[in-house]
Amino acid sequence: MGTRKMLIAGSVALVLVGTATATAQAEDPWTLGPDGYKQLLLHQPERAAEATGLLVDKQADTRCHMFHLRPGEGQTNVGSGVFVDPAQGVVMIGGTAKSHTPEGVSIGSSLAEVRAAYPALTTVPPMSWVYHARVAGRPDARYRFAFDENDQIADFALESTKKNACT
């Protein structure tokens, strides 16, 4: 695996941050955001997140616990998943090949399409291929997009904006 691909795989997990409130998700079952994904919500306590039935393969060998979404939710990028801080709850939810933001952005979307959906898109230094965008109506959340060499989304996530111990 090339250096850039390895960095893309881990870039979404590099900055985990957190606060959010539990509210209803959009009617489209594949929408990631603005509050979470299906019954899985940002800042949701770990026990409640596990009770959704969406999480599998818990990795709890570090302070921040990582899960994968169950296989039926779609393929994820290597290194992507759901990250939970035991004190703050869910701090990041990785996107899948089936999921998309409320604005229709998903894996494979071009940089131009993402810029059109999120005009205030900004880079995440020092990685020039990783960007984040505000989540409409949620000042405590943002999207993170990692692009491949063809300027298409290779990975994306919904994360909270307050840094925590998972970083």
Side-chain angles (χ1 to χ4, degrees):
M1 179 182 280
T3 302
R4 185 165 180 179
K5 286 185 180 180
M6 287 177 26
L7 290 171
I8 287 172
S11 67
V12 172
L14 285 176
V15 179
L16 302 175
V17 293
T19 62
T21 57
T23 58
Q25 288 297 289
E27 290 182 29
D28 181 341
W30 303 111
T31 301
L32 177 59
D35 303 310
Y37 175 73
K38 297 186 178 181
Q39 303 92 347
L40 186 63
L41 304 170
L42 287 177
H43 209 229
Q44 185 175 41
E46 185 169 6
R47 180 173 278 169
E50 289 180 286
T52 66
L54 292 168
L55 304 179
V56 297
D57 303 328
K58 180 177 182 177
Q59 297 171 25
D61 53 346
T62 62
R63 185 182 184 298
C64 184
H65 300 165
M66 181 185 171
F67 296 83
H68 290 101
L69 290 169
R70 66 181 177 215
E73 301 307 318
Q75 180 68 37
T76 61
N77 198 325
V78 176
S80 186
V82 176
F83 291 83
V84 180
D85 179 310
Q88 294 189 35
V90 175
V91 292
M92 188 186 87
I93 305 169
T96 72
K98 292 182 178 181
S99 64
H100 56 81
T101 70
E103 293 76 20
V105 171
S106 62
I107 292 175
S109 293
S110 71
L111 180 55
E113 291 168 325
V114 177
R115 283 190 193 281
Y118 304 99
L121 191 69
T122 58
T123 59
V124 179
M127 299 168 290
S128 62
W129 64 91
V130 179
Y131 294 77
H132 58 268
R134 297 185 141 189
V135 176
R138 289 296 305 264
D140 60 347
R142 67 181 171 209
Y143 293 109
R144 177 176 286 255
F145 303 104
F147 291 85
D148 63 17
E149 292 83 2
N150 297 315
D151 284 337
Q152 293 182 313
I153 293 179
D155 199 5
F156 74 109
L158 173 68
E159 61 186 20
S160 44
T161 56
K162 184 178 174 188
K163 289 187 178 181
N164 64 41
C166 287
T167 57

